[in-house]
C-alpha cells in the first residue's frame, strides 16, 4: 500500500491536517483531523507541590491561561479541603468574565469573523483581521483593540499579570480589590456591554440580513445532532465559573446532571492510532464511532452547546438575544429552555450572546457590595489528597483532577481540556463538509475554506493540546482511495 | 528603503508570546506601517514567500517537526530572535527533561490514564505521519544559531516593542528594569 510522503513545507505550522479517504466510487468514506502533538503536562506535574499547578498548567495555553488557572485553583480548594470566602470567589469570577470578553472578541473579529465579515468566498489574503478592519472601518478596529486592552488591564489588576496571572491560591485569592480599582472595572464592564451589543448588531446586519449567509448557516453541511454539555448554576442557568455539569440529549431532554468531581463516571476517552489527541465521549452512552444521534456517546461543548443546556440566560439583555436566536431557528420551548439548535455555524451567534452575558455578569460582580471585602483567603490547614476543579473554558468544559501524597505533592494529574471535548464533533463536521462537497473524486480548491469553516466554528484552541493558534492552522487535504493510496493533495500555501 | 520583513512562528510554546505581541495594542497599527509581515500564524501567509529580515521564534523544540520549522526559519531569516522562556531555555515543557522518558509520557497518556476506557488493543498513536517526540525539549540555540534573546513568560509587550523598534531603526535599545524583569 502506498503511503503519502508529506511535503515538509506544508508542515511548517503543521499542527492540523485533514485526511480524506474515498471509496471505489470516489465518494467520501472517511475524513479526519490529525493532531500531531502530545502534551506532557500530566506527567511532569508529578512530584511538584500542588500549589505550583495553577502557575504551571496555565502554560499549556497562552490564549486561555485564565481558564487553566481557575480550574487548577478550584482543584486545589478541594485538595486542601478549603472553601474560599465569598469575595474571593467573586473576584475569581470577575476576572474570568473579563477574560471571556477578550477571548470571544478575539475569535469573532480575528479568527471566525472574517469568514462572514469579509466573506466565505473572499480571497484568502483578505480573510484576516486587517480585512475585517478594512470592511468595518479603522474606528471599529480600534474599538476591538481597545476592548482587548482594557480587559487585559482588568486581568492584570486582579490577577497580577496580563498573560499567565498569579492571583489564584488554594482557599481564595492573593489580594483584595481596592475601591478605586473597582470603580474603574465597573466603568469597563459598562463599555463591554455596549461593545457586545454593537457586535450583536453587526452580526445581525452582516449575517442574519444576508439570505446567502443564513442559508449557509442552516444548510445540511453544518448540521449535527449530538449531545451537548455545559455548566449550570442552582437555577439550571449558565455559569462560566462554577456549577453542575449538565448534558442534554439531541432531543433537548436532560440526559444527566452531575458534580464535576464525578466526571470519571460520565466521561471516558477513546484512543486512535492516527492522532496524539484523545476523543472523550459519554461513558454511559458508549463509543459508537464518529456518528450523530442519541445512541452515540459523542458530545459537544461549545458556546452553542451551553445555550442548548441552559434554562435561559441569567442576565436580561443576554436573555433577549438568546430567545431571538432560538426563535429564529424555529426551536420550540422545552420548559424553561428550547429544543437544541443543531446548526453548527450558529455557534458564532451563540458566542456573541455569551460575550454579552460575560459583560453583564462582569457589571453585576463589579457592583456587588461584597467584592471589595478584605476577606479573600482561608488558609488551608489540612490535606485531603484529591481534588477536581472544573470551569467552562470558552471552548468547552475544562476539568483538572489532581491526587497528592500526605505532603501535598502531586502523585497524579489528569486534564480534560476544552477543545478536546469537541474533537469527535470537529472530525464529524469536517467529514460532513467533505461529503457534501466531494463526489466522484472531484475536488476543487474552493472547498478548502468551507471545510475550514467546519472546524473554525468550534474555535479550536489546539494550543491547549498542540500549541497552535486557533483557526490559523495551515490546511493540507489528502484524498485517498479505499486502499489508502493518495489520489490528490490540496494545500493552502499562501 | 523598503520595509523590513518579519516572520514569526510558535514551536513548542503556548502561544502566550504571540498574544504578548498582540498586547502592544494600538501600536499594532504603527507596526504595520513600519514593517511587512511574511509567514506568521497571526496572518494567513503560511509558507515563506521571500527572504525575511527578522524571524521571531516562540517555543522550544519538542518534536521532529519543530526542528524542521526552526531550520527553515534560520535559512530564510537574517536575524533570529528567541522570544520567551520556551525558546530561550525550553521553558515549562522542558520540565519533562531528565525526569520522564518519552515512553513513560506516552504510556501515561494512552494506557494508564484514568479516563482512557476505549483502547482495547492498547494502542499508542503510531501513524507514520505523526512527527517523532524528541528525547527531551531543546532550547532553540542548541539547534540553530540565535542572534537575540528576549526573556519573560510571556515577555512584556513593551519589551517586544522596544526590541523591534531598536532593531528596525538601528538605535540602542531602551531596557529599563520594569520592562526586562520577569517573574
Amino acid at each position: 500500500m502506498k503511503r503519502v510522503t508529506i511535503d515538509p513545507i506544508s508542515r511548517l505550522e503543521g499542527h492540523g491536517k485533514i485526511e480524506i479517504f474515498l471509496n471505489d466510487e470516489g465518494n467520501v468514506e472517511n475524513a479526519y483531523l490529525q493532531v500531531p502533538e502530545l502534551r506532557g503536562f500530566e506527567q511532569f506535574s508529578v512530584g511538584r507541590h500542588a500549589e505550583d499547578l495553577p502557575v504551571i498548567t496555565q502554560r499549556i495555553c497562552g490564549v486561555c491561561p485564565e481558564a487553566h488557572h481557575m480550574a487548577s485553583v478550584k482543584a486545589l480548594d478541594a485538595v486542601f479541603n478549603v472553601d474560599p470566602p465569598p469575595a474571593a470567589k467573586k473576584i475569581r469570577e470577575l476576572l474570568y468574565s473579563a477574560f471571556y470578553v477578550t477571548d470571544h472578541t478575539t475569535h469573532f473579529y480575528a479568527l471566525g469573523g472574517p469568514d462572514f465579515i469579509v466573506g466565505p468566498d473572499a480571497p484568502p489574503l483578505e480573510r484576516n483581521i486587517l480585512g475585517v478592519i478594512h470592511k468595518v472601518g479603522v474606528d471599529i478596529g480600534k474599538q476591538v483593540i481597545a476592548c482587548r486592552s482594557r480587559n487585559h488591564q482588568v486581568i492584570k489588576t486582579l490577577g497580577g499579570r496580563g498573560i499567565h496571572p498569579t492571583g489564584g491560591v488554594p482557599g481564595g485569592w492573593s489580594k483584595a480589590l481596592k475601591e478605586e480599582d473597582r470603580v474603574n472595572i465597573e466603568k469597563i464592564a459598562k463599555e463591554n456591554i455596549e461593545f457586545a451589543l454593537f457586535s450583536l448588531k453587526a452580526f445581525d446586519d452582516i449575517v442574519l440580513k444576508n439570505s446567502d449567509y443564513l442559508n449557509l448557516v442552516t444548510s445540511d453541511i453544518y448540521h449535527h445532532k449530538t449531545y451537548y454539555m455545559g455548566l449550570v448554576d442552582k437555577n439550571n442557568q449558565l455559569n462560566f465559573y462554577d456549577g453542575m455539569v449538565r448534558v442534554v440529549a439531541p432531543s433537548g431532554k436532560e440526559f444527566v446532571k452531575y458534580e464535576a468531581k464525578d466526571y470519571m463516571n460520565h466521561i471516558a476517552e477513546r484512543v486512535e492510532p492516527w492522532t496524539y489527541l484523545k476523543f472523550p465521549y459519554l461513558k454511559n452512552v458508549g463509543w459508537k464511532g464518529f456518528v450523530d444521534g442519541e445512541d452515540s456517546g459523542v458530545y459537544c461543548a461549545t458556546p452553542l452547546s451551553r445555550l442548548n443546556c441552559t434554562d435561559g440566560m441569567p442576565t436580561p439583555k443576554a436573555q433577549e438575544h438568546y430567545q431571538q436566536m432560538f426563535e429564529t431557528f424555529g426551536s420550540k420551548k422545552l420548559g424553561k429552555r428550547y429544543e437544541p439548535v443543531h446548526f453548527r455555524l450558529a455557534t458564532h451567534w451563540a458566542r456573541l450572546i455569551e460575550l454579552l452575558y460575560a459583560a453583564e455578569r462582569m457589571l453585576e460582580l463589579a457592583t456587588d457590595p461584597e467584592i471589595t471585602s478584605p476577606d479573600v483567603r482561608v488558609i488551608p490547614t489540612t490535606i485531603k489528597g484529591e481534588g477536581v476543579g472544573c470551569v467552562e473554558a470558552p471552548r468547552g468544559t475544562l476539568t483538572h483532577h489532581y491526587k497528592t501524597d500526605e505532603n501535598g505533592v502531586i502523585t497524579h494529574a489528569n486534564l480534560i481540556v476544552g477543545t478536546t471535548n469537541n474533537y469527535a464533533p470537529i472530525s464529524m463536521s469536517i467529514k460532513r463538509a467533505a461529503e457534501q462537497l466531494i463526489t466522484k473524486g472531484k475536488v476543487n480548491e474552493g472547498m478548502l475554506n468551507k471545510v475550514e469553516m467546519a472546524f473554525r466554528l468550534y474555535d479550536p484552541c489546539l494550543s491547549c493540546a498542540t500549541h497552535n493558534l486557533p483557526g490559523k492552522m495551515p490546511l493540507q487535504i489528502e484524498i485517498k482511495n479505499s486502499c489508502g493510496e493518495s489520489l490528490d493533495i490540496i494545500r493552502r500555501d499562501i | 528603503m523598503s520595509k523590513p520583513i518579519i516572520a514569526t512562528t510558535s514551536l513548542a510554546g503556548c502561544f502566550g508570546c504571540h498574544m504578548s505581541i498582540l498586547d502592544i495594542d494600538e501600536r499594532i497599527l504603527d507596526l504595520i506601517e513600519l514593517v511587512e509581515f511574511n509567514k506568521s500564524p497571526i496572518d494567513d501567509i503560511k509558507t515563506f514567500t521571500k527572504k525575511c529580515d527578522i524571524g521571531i521564534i516562540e517555543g522550544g523544540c519538542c518534536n521532529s517537526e519543530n526542528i524542521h520549522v526552526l531550520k527553515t526559519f534560520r535559512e530564510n531569516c537574517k536575524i533570529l530572535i528567541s522570544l520567551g522562556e520556551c525558546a530561550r531555555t525550553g521553558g515549562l515543557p522542558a520540565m519533562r527533561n531528565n525526569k520522564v522518558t518519552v515512553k513513560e509520557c506516552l504510556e501515561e497518556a494512552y494506557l494508564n490514564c484514568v479516563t482512557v476506557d476505549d483502547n482495547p488493543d492498547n494502542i499508542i498513536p503510531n501513524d507514520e505521519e505523526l512527527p517523532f517526540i524528541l528525547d527531551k525539549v531543546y532550547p532553540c540555540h542548541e539547534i540553530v544559531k540565535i542572534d537575540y534573546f528576549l526573556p519573560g513568560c510571556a515577555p512584556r509587550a513593551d519589551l517586544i516593542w522596544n526590541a523591534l523598534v531598536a532593531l528596525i531603526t538601528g538605535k540602542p535599545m531602551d531596557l529599563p528594569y520594569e520592562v526586562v524583569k520577569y517573574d
Side-chain angles (χ1 to χ4, degrees):
Chain A
M1 191 189 305
K2 191 180 151 216
R3 194 74 200 219
V4 180
T5 309
I6 301 290
D7 179 352
I9 286 172
S10 69
R11 295 247 215 165
L12 275 183
E13 305 288 340
H15 296 292
K17 186 161 74 92
I18 290 170
E19 294 204 74
I20 298 173
F21 292 87
L22 301 186
N23 61 20
D24 291 342
E25 287 78 47
N27 296 323
V28 173
E29 191 159 290
N30 205 359
Y32 54 67
L33 172 68
Q34 190 177 55
V35 176
E37 244 186 59
L38 166 72
R39 51 176 204 280
F41 278 79
E42 281 123 327
Q43 289 76 47
F44 63 64
S45 294
V46 171
R48 304 288 304 197
H49 286 290
E51 57 267 38
D52 292 350
L53 262 62
V55 179
I56 291 177
T57 56
Q58 66 184 345
R59 261 79 180 181
I60 288 171
C61 177
V63 182
C64 56
E66 294 85 354
H68 288 285
H69 193 65
M70 291 301 169
S72 185
V73 80
K74 284 179 71 183
L76 291 190
D77 293 342
V79 164
F80 292 102
N81 197 25
V82 60
D83 189 28
K89 289 181 186 167
K90 286 173 184 172
I91 290 172
R92 287 179 184 178
E93 192 180 346
L94 179 60
L95 182 149
Y96 206 51
S97 303
F99 156 64
Y100 252 84
V101 171
T102 61
D103 198 275
H104 278 0
T105 298
T106 304
H107 186 267
F108 181 67
Y109 287 96
L111 306 178
D115 285 330
F116 289 106
I117 300 171
V118 187
D121 301 316
L125 277 175
E126 291 169 22
R127 280 197 318 262
N128 55 42
I129 177 73
L130 293 179
V132 169
I133 292 174
H134 185 70
K135 186 84 179 256
V136 297
V138 173
D139 286 346
I140 291 164
K142 283 184 178 163
Q143 275 196 48
V144 174
I145 292 169
C147 176
R148 262 189 107 253
S149 173
R150 66 175 175 259
N151 287 288
H152 249 255
Q153 200 49 51
V154 172
I155 291 167
K156 211 167 170 177
T157 302
L158 294 170
R161 306 174 94 229
I163 295 171
H164 303 319
T166 53
V169 283
W173 200 252
S174 60
K175 68 169 185 175
L177 177 59
K178 286 188 236 151
E179 173 60 19
E180 70 229 49
D181 289 330
R182 189 205 63 77
V183 171
N184 189 38
I185 293 173
E186 181 182 341
K187 181 173 147 278
I188 288 171
K190 286 176 180 163
E191 288 170 357
N192 287 346
I193 293 175
E194 289 311 310
F195 181 77
L197 288 168
F198 163 81
S199 301
L200 278 157
K201 172 88 169 44
F203 187 82
D204 192 59
D205 289 344
I206 296 167
V207 180
L208 301 176
K209 291 206 170 93
N210 180 328
S211 58
D212 288 347
Y213 287 177
L214 202 55
N215 288 340
L216 193 64
V217 172
T218 56
S219 74
D220 280 351
I221 301 178
Y222 305 107
H223 186 261
H224 280 287
K225 290 187 173 183
T226 61
Y227 287 83
Y228 298 100
M229 177 183 284
L231 282 187
V232 290
D233 64 14
K234 58 184 185 319
N235 301 319
N236 283 327
Q237 288 191 316
L238 174 65
N239 190 281
F240 295 140
Y241 171 72
D242 202 18
M244 305 263 285
V245 179
R246 187 188 226 184
V247 179
V248 302
S251 65
K253 196 167 159 261
E254 182 179 290
F255 173 70
V256 67
K257 194 166 80 171
Y258 61 88
E259 286 194 51
K261 68 178 172 55
D262 299 327
Y263 79 104
M264 277 166 50
N265 297 332
H266 301 278
I267 303 298
E269 290 183 293
R270 160 100 182 167
V271 178
E272 291 278 345
W274 43 267
T275 179
Y276 283 131
L277 199 53
K278 294 177 276 190
F279 295 89
Y281 60 93
L282 297 169
K283 198 174 184 174
N284 300 319
V285 182
W287 177 260
K288 307 285 160 54
F290 298 92
V291 286
D292 284 31
E294 304 247 349
D295 297 331
S296 165
V298 171
Y299 67 94
C300 195
T302 60
L304 182 64
S305 305
R306 294 190 284 259
L307 265 50
N308 282 337
C309 286
T310 179
D311 283 2
M313 300 297 278
T315 57
K317 291 189 177 77
Q319 171 68 12
E320 281 173 35
H321 286 271
Y322 160 90
Q323 286 174 343
Q324 189 202 340
M325 185 187 89
F326 281 93
E327 280 159 18
T328 300
F329 292 117
S331 291
K332 292 198 192 75
K333 266 275 192 184
L334 207 67
K336 288 181 182 165
R337 59 182 190 280
Y338 287 88
E339 287 173 345
V341 166
H342 301 293
F343 303 117
R344 291 292 154 92
L345 281 178
T347 308
H348 292 294
W349 193 353
R351 193 171 285 115
L352 291 178
I353 296 169
E354 284 196 339
L355 170 66
L356 179 56
Y357 161 68
E360 287 187 287
R361 182 69 186 137
M362 195 177 161
L363 183 61
E364 282 178 4
L365 289 161
T367 52
D368 188 304
E370 210 171 23
I371 195 91
T372 48
S373 161
D375 182 17
V376 292
R377 178 96 199 263
V378 175
I379 304 289
T381 53
T382 54
I383 296 170
K384 198 173 74 180
E386 183 166 2
V388 175
C390 181
V391 294
E392 273 303 329
R395 298 151 190 92
T397 316
L398 169 65
T399 307
H400 282 214
H401 179 192
Y402 310 144
K403 288 181 191 168
T404 72
D405 66 13
E406 70 279 8
N407 297 314
V409 172
I410 296 286
T411 56
H412 187 91
N414 189 34
L415 316 176
I416 297 186
V417 304
T419 293
T420 313
N421 292 296
N422 299 314
Y423 193 17
I426 291 170
S427 301
M428 286 156 56
S429 288
I430 287 165
K431 186 183 175 197
R432 174 70 52 83
E435 276 172 349
Q436 301 271 333
L437 295 155
I438 303 172
T439 49
K440 299 198 167 71
K442 283 190 190 139
V443 190
N444 64 60
E445 228 276 336
M447 68 174 284
L448 275 174
N449 194 47
K450 297 255 167 71
V451 175
E452 273 197 284
M453 284 169 69
F455 72 75
R456 196 178 287 131
L457 67 92
Y458 292 92
D459 185 10
C461 181
L462 296 178
S463 295
C464 281
T466 76
H467 322 294
N468 202 345
L469 180 66
K472 291 293 179 188
M473 49 194 115
L475 261 192
Q476 167 167 308
I477 295 192
E478 282 185 33
I479 314 295
K480 296 181 176 181
N481 66 16
S482 52
C483 303
E485 290 163 345
S486 177
L487 300 177
D488 201 359
I489 300 178
I490 301 175
R491 272 198 307 275
R492 169 158 298 154
D493 290 344
I494 300 163
Chain B
M1 196 180 86
S2 61
K3 286 183 186 177
I5 304 168
I6 292 185
T8 79
T9 189
S10 179
L11 307 175
C14 73
F15 232 87
C17 296
H18 273 77
M19 297 309 276
S20 208
I21 296 175
L22 292 180
D23 288 343
I24 63 174
D25 294 335
E26 66 280 0
R27 286 173 290 184
I28 289 171
L29 300 173
D30 301 333
L31 188 62
I32 293 164
E33 295 301 314
L34 280 175
V35 303
E36 176 185 330
F37 273 92
N38 201 268
K39 178 184 150 45
S40 166
I42 295 180
D43 59 35
D44 268 4
I45 305 174
K46 286 159 180 169
T47 61
F48 284 105
T49 54
K50 51 175 108 166
K51 294 283 178 189
C52 295
D53 297 291
I54 302 170
I56 299 175
I57 313 288
E58 168 184 349
C61 293
C62 83
N63 67 23
S64 51
E65 191 175 299
N66 297 148
I67 290 190
H68 171 77
V69 175
L70 182 57
K71 286 183 172 167
T72 316
F73 263 72
R74 183 70 273 179
E75 282 160 21
N76 284 281
C77 302
K78 285 185 204 154
I79 294 169
L80 275 194
I81 301 175
S82 271
L83 179 66
E85 289 318 292
C86 296
R88 242 167 50 90
T89 69
L92 257 153
M95 277 171 55
R96 80 166 157 92
N97 292 2
N98 305 322
K99 181 170 190 296
V100 274
T101 63
V102 173
K103 185 164 179 280
E104 283 166 355
C105 256
L106 293 167
E107 286 177 355
E108 176 63 24
Y110 303 107
L111 303 182
N112 306 328
C113 172
V114 288
T115 38
V116 167
D117 242 28
D118 202 336
N119 191 3
D121 302 327
N122 285 331
I123 296 168
I124 287 177
N126 57 1
D127 194 282
E128 8 185 314
E129 286 171 17
L130 288 171
F132 290 114
I133 309 234
L134 302 178
D135 61 330
K136 59 178 193 170
V137 179
Y138 294 83
C140 294
H141 61 270
E142 290 190 12
I143 309 294
V144 299
K145 177 176 178 284
I146 299 287
D147 303 288
Y148 295 98
F149 300 86
L150 294 178
C153 180
R156 282 154 199 260
D158 287 342
L159 177 66
I160 299 170
W161 173 253
N162 290 357
L164 285 178
V165 170
L167 267 178
I168 294 161
T169 60
K171 289 179 185 155
M173 188 175 163
D174 189 21
L175 288 171
Y177 171 73
E178 58 273 18
V179 170
V180 163
K181 75 167 176 146
Y182 61 98
D183 36 30

